[in-house]
Amino acid sequence: MKLENVQVEVSTHCQLSCLMCPKRIFRREWISGHMDMEIFRRIPFEKFRYAHLQGWGEPLLNPNIIEMVEFAKAKGCRVGITTNGLLLDEFAEDLVKAGIDLVAVSIASADEKTHRKIRGCKLSDLLENIRMLSNIRGKPKITLVTMMLKDTINDLPKFVEMAKDVGADEVIANNLDYIPSPDLTGLEVFSEKENREVLNVIRKAEELAKRLGISFFAKPIKLEEALVCAEDPISSCLITVDGHVSPCVYAHLPTRSDEIIRVFRGKVVRVRKRYFGSLVEEDFEKVWKCKEYKDFRARFERRKRAIDEFLVLELPELPDVCKTCYKAYSV
């Protein structure tokens, strides 16, 4: 039986310094680097249905990115990336030739001024790069990814129109689900109780996308503890830039500290990063099947079974690294 997804952090370099990115907040502790091909080749892509080549960085900066796509594709799994889009004009043709299945482009807003304020780059240049990709024969699925913030949420329907105009197939509206600094609190649109105004904007964007014939998905905006979060730690994992195996990108940060700093429900918290082994030292199968990692996954498996077996009162608590992660609360 195949596992679902492997997220591969092929680079922690990035040309940008976005408003909400931990790279900007923790720049003095940030470790910038590219995954070496020797480590990449140790990942058993044949065990996974899908590989997403991106973590806390810009994947197109890795000089081996095309070879990486080809290698993973040759192992029989689908491959995608999330990019800031700045280098798409240089890599579009090669990505298509390599057989990439998905290219997701992160865009802050459909408004040029707002996008530049948040991302620090010209929106118009990114849109031209996306149009170029969409016009290539045999193009991959193109997804535009945005983040729902207090300052951008009202532009969501306009964002859907923009996506259609540049030839995108899908829009995904994410939350500010990792808040690295108290200065960013208040930008998120999710809360303990759904905001009706925000819901109405999301519904308008969803209805518009349906009329225009493109897919649209917005993350929930109400905090509710999930049995298993969308990162699916039961059958998915992250391989970090230096080859460590982690449950997900939210349990890892490429900084010198062994802790992750987060703001959760208004409080600054520190949690230990969570790794279960390194592909530099041992093969993936050994890491995946080690007792500690199996116990970690088993906790989520028991949580998943709890509802079916009417054992809600016996619901296992979340692992420490997950207790203060917004992904564990459905957003």
Side-chain angles (χ1 to χ4, degrees), residues 171-191:
V171 167
I172 294 178
N174 286 322
N175 281 305
L176 182 59
D177 47 34
Y178 172 42
I179 303 177
S181 167
D183 295 341
L184 299 175
T185 54
L187 289 179
E188 70 277 8
V189 298
F190 58 82
S191 62

Side-chain angles (χ1 to χ4, degrees), residues 185-253:
T185 54
L187 289 179
E188 70 277 8
V189 298
F190 58 82
S191 62
E192 304 289 343
K193 186 178 180 180
E194 288 175 322
N195 184 310
R196 304 303 301 179
E197 292 181 4
V198 172
L199 277 180
N200 287 336
V201 172
I202 291 172
R203 288 192 183 112
K204 286 180 183 177
E206 189 174 26
E207 290 167 2
L208 179 58
K210 188 174 181 179
R211 290 201 303 271
L212 294 176
I214 64 175
S215 298
F216 176 85
F217 177 72
K219 296 292 176 65
I221 59 168
K222 182 180 179 181
L223 290 170
E224 293 180 304
E225 186 174 330
L227 296 176
V228 182
C229 75
E231 299 304 298
D232 184 19
I234 296 173
S235 59
S236 302
C237 66
L238 166 77
I239 310 298
T240 71
V241 70
D242 56 359
H244 283 86
V245 182
S246 179
C248 73
V249 72
Y250 297 92
H252 155 71
L253 206 61

Side-chain angles (χ1 to χ4, degrees), residues 119-136:
R119 294 280 184 183
C121 64
K122 288 178 64 177
L123 173 61
S124 55
D125 290 346
L126 301 187
L127 298 182
E128 284 307 307
N129 288 350
I130 296 164
R131 282 193 186 94
M132 182 190 66
L133 175 63
S134 70
N135 287 325
I136 297 176

Side-chain angles (χ1 to χ4, degrees), residues 9 23 26 64 67 74 85 107 112 125 127 131 136-137 144 175 190 225 247 264 281 285 296 329-330:
E9 188 177 54
K23 176 179 174 287
F26 306 123
N64 298 311
E67 184 181 354
I107 295 178
E112 177 74 55
D125 290 346
L127 298 182
R131 282 193 186 94
I136 297 176
R137 186 175 180 179
L144 298 196
N175 281 305
F190 58 82
E225 186 174 330
F264 181 73
E281 299 168 358
E285 192 78 9
F296 182 91
Y329 299 88
S330 304

